[in-house]
Amino acid sequence: MAKESMKARERKRAKLIERYAAKRAQLKAEGNYEALQELPKNSCPIRLHNRCKISGRPKGYMRQFGISRIEFRNLAAQGLIPGVKKASW
């Protein structure tokens, strides 16, 4: 389980990315890299990490489902993900 402070940091980064997305695109199109460097570092989309929606785990993230591999396995074992059968894992 991820710490609340780490989850809050990710939410803050996501807000910054949304706020500066248009400005970043405009500066990149103009080729004005000096002004681009003046923007906050956390407004760069590269700094955003994918985290599991249930546990907040950053590793083993499955984009198609938006959760980590461990949570996927738990949900599949409970039969909550349609079309997934437990084979041998």
Side-chain angles (χ1 to χ4, degrees):
M1 193 61 122
K3 291 182 182 179
E4 279 301 315
S5 61
M6 296 301 284
K7 291 180 189 177
R9 189 181 304 164
E10 289 296 324
R11 286 190 294 269
K12 184 179 176 183
R13 283 182 182 156
K15 287 180 186 177
L16 274 174
I17 289 169
E18 287 179 28
R19 186 183 309 159
Y20 288 100
K23 190 170 187 177
R24 289 184 76 80
Q26 177 189 7
L27 291 174
K28 277 188 178 182
E30 294 173 1
N32 190 353
Y33 295 106
E34 290 81 21
L36 197 60
Q37 286 183 345
E38 297 299 321
L39 295 178
K41 287 185 179 180
N42 283 334
S43 69
C44 181
I46 291 293
R47 287 180 165 246
L48 190 64
H49 297 275
N50 291 324
R51 287 190 174 269
C52 176
K53 302 291 186 229
I54 299 170
S55 64
R57 189 173 197 273
K59 297 183 179 177
Y61 179 80
M62 300 173 75
R63 274 182 202 216
Q64 185 176 2
F65 300 98
I67 56 177
S68 68
R69 62 180 179 80
I70 295 171
E71 291 299 326
F72 177 83
R73 186 174 167 168
N74 291 339
L75 293 174
Q78 295 171 7
L80 298 175
I81 300 176
V84 177
K85 291 184 180 179
K86 182 179 177 195
S88 62
W89 45 24

